[in-house]
Amino acid sequence: MGLVVRGLIKRGGVWWVRVVVPADVRSVIGKTELLATLSTGDNIEAVRLGTPVIAQFKRQIADARGEVYAPPPADDRLTAALAQSRIATWKQVRIHEAEADSFNAAPVGSLWRDAGAVERATLIHALSQPDAAGRVEGFKDRLAEALGVRVDHPALEHIRVQSWFREAWETVERAKERFARGDFDIEEVVDEVAYEAPQDAPGGAVKANAGSKSAIGLEGLLDAFLRHENPPEARDIKRAWRLFT
């Protein structure tokens, strides 16, 4: 009569402990099953020796499951709005960096240097696919960088978060493509901080006031100045302002 103990199997006359690793923790444990020989063919001895081994394997699985599903610490939590905000900031910073790099690069003849054109085109194509997280090398590492979280943060697995970052990264690469052609007339997505001069501020000091309907953005001030003065180098001034900000 065979043993009715789940986890014990007999191979070649010798008893073994075999516990199947659930699919959700296989990436952590690195195996599909846990095996250990009991080096005995005796049924009673197999139960005595195998019971603590089975318990040990189950604890290992429970610990792995806790590692997979453990919530992030309080200072590492995200909301959807915060994730979107951080991704948008990451995009803006990368576009500014790319513009500065290209604008300060020396042109070769009538063409701007673009040694990575082929690689960029391949990357843009990959990022245009809904499953970019699985297609683009280092996708989740960059996403973690953009969100400011650890690389095993649960938010990195959210389809919507991956989609937001995929679109942001693709926008950055397309901006690089335009800058490499010497085209700097690109509308950047920048959240303007509105300012107004309060009546009670000495000397008309400028104070941040993003909620005022009468406030005007920094770019609006610059445009008003350029329209009033109409300098011949207005285009260059606007580009320089973009690099500065």
Side-chain angles (χ1 to χ4, degrees), residues 69-187:
Y69 293 106
D75 59 352
D76 203 19
R77 294 180 184 273
L78 293 170
T79 62
L82 181 56
Q84 284 182 297
S85 175
R86 290 185 178 179
I87 289 173
T89 299
W90 178 89
K91 177 177 68 174
Q92 293 162 13
V93 170
R94 293 298 176 271
I95 288 177
H96 279 300
E97 289 176 347
E99 183 179 19
D101 289 344
S102 294
F103 192 76
N104 290 281
V108 180
S110 59
L111 299 175
W112 290 71
R113 289 178 183 160
D114 191 15
V118 176
E119 292 81 358
R120 187 180 304 113
T122 302
L123 177 57
I124 289 174
H125 175 71
L127 290 172
S128 68
Q129 308 302 313
D131 59 344
R135 289 172 173 259
V136 179
E137 183 178 358
F139 183 93
K140 290 185 180 178
D141 290 337
R142 284 189 179 239
L143 175 53
E145 172 195 331
L147 294 177
V149 298
R150 64 182 191 272
V151 294
D152 61 343
H153 194 289
L156 272 61
E157 302 299 329
H158 287 213
I159 300 300
R160 289 299 300 152
V161 174
Q162 292 178 5
S163 177
W164 295 333
F165 184 68
R166 173 179 64 82
E167 293 171 0
W169 192 358
E170 182 181 357
T171 300
V172 171
E173 295 304 321
R174 291 192 182 280
K176 288 181 181 179
E177 192 173 51
R178 296 186 64 175
F179 295 149
R181 298 196 304 266
D183 180 2
F184 296 96
D185 295 324
I186 182 171
E187 287 297 324

Side-chain angles (χ1 to χ4, degrees), residues 201-221:
V206 177
K207 175 183 177 182
N209 188 350
S212 173
K213 294 182 179 179
S214 61
I216 184 171
L218 288 178
E219 187 169 9
L221 289 172

